[in-house]
């Protein structure tokens, strides 16, 4: 039977720019960076969570044709590719301020929700990210 989700995938048109954002701005660590000929396998994880990684996948061969990859890149840039990541933090207002100071594109300011405080942002390509400070108890 299944026991865990280990890798989540999002499309990123430029893997080096994705590294700069996810590692340099959000604080992820590089888990693996391997060249498999037609593709680069690039995963990142939050410090202390090596069992949960994000695959930063460049759309293209071998998983799709060049034509399909162009359509995926267009959908990503419009924010309609379905790439969503959800993260937790200890202090939403502090995390929001830190990310804003690093030049991260904030799409929604911190908002009180029934489950806690959350806010939204986008990566440099258009993928949606939500960060939440969950209510205790």
């Amino acid at each position: 039977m299944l026991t865990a989700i280990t890798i989540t995938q999002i499309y990123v048109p430029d893997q080096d720019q994705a590294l700069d954002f996810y590692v340099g701005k959000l604080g992820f660590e590089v888990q693996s960076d391997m060249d498999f000929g037609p593709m680069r396998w690039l995963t990142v994880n939050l410090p202390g969570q090596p069992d949960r990684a994000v695959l930063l996948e460049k759309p293209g061969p071998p998983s799709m044709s060049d034509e399909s990859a162009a359509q995926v890149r267009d959908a990503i840039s419009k924010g309609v590719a379905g790439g969503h990541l959800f993260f937790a933090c200890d202090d939403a207002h502090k995390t929001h301020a830190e990310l804003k100071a690093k030049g991260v594109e904030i799409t929604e300011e911190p908002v009180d929700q029934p489950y806690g405080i959350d806010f939204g942002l986008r990566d440099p390509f258009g993928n949606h990210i939500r960060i939440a400070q969950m209510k205790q108890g």
Side-chain angles (χ1 to χ4, degrees):
M1 198 39 108
L2 303 177
T3 60
I5 296 173
T6 58
I7 299 174
T8 301
Q9 176 270 356
I10 60 168
Y11 287 118
V12 296
D14 183 317
Q15 289 174 306
D16 290 323
Q17 188 179 2
L19 270 180
D20 181 56
F21 179 78
Y22 285 93
V23 174
K25 296 190 187 281
L26 296 187
F28 281 74
E29 300 173 331
V30 174
Q31 183 181 72
S32 62
D33 189 353
M34 297 178 276
D35 182 4
F36 284 114
M39 72 170 290
R40 178 181 179 189
W41 180 265
L42 178 61
T43 59
V44 295
N45 61 272
L46 289 170
Q49 292 191 338
D51 57 332
R52 295 181 185 171
V54 177
L55 171 63
L56 303 173
E57 183 177 1
K58 183 176 180 178
S63 64
M64 67 182 70
S65 69
D66 289 331
E67 181 182 332
S68 294
Q71 292 171 340
V72 170
R73 286 190 300 273
D74 185 53
I76 295 167
S77 70
K78 293 176 182 175
V80 297
H84 285 78
L85 296 172
F86 298 85
F87 299 106
C89 69
D90 293 327
D91 184 331
H93 291 286
K94 179 181 177 187
T95 301
H96 171 268
E98 290 170 347
L99 293 175
K100 199 168 189 175
K102 291 180 179 181
V104 171
E105 178 189 355
I106 305 294
T107 57
E108 185 180 335
E109 298 296 314
V111 175
D112 286 321
Q113 304 285 4
Y115 52 82
I117 302 167
D118 80 348
F119 64 96
L121 54 117
R122 291 176 70 170
D123 74 8
F125 316 106
N127 292 303
H128 298 276
I129 299 171
R130 296 214 60 89
I131 299 175
Q133 172 187 338
M134 306 304 284
K135 283 187 178 176
Q136 299 299 317

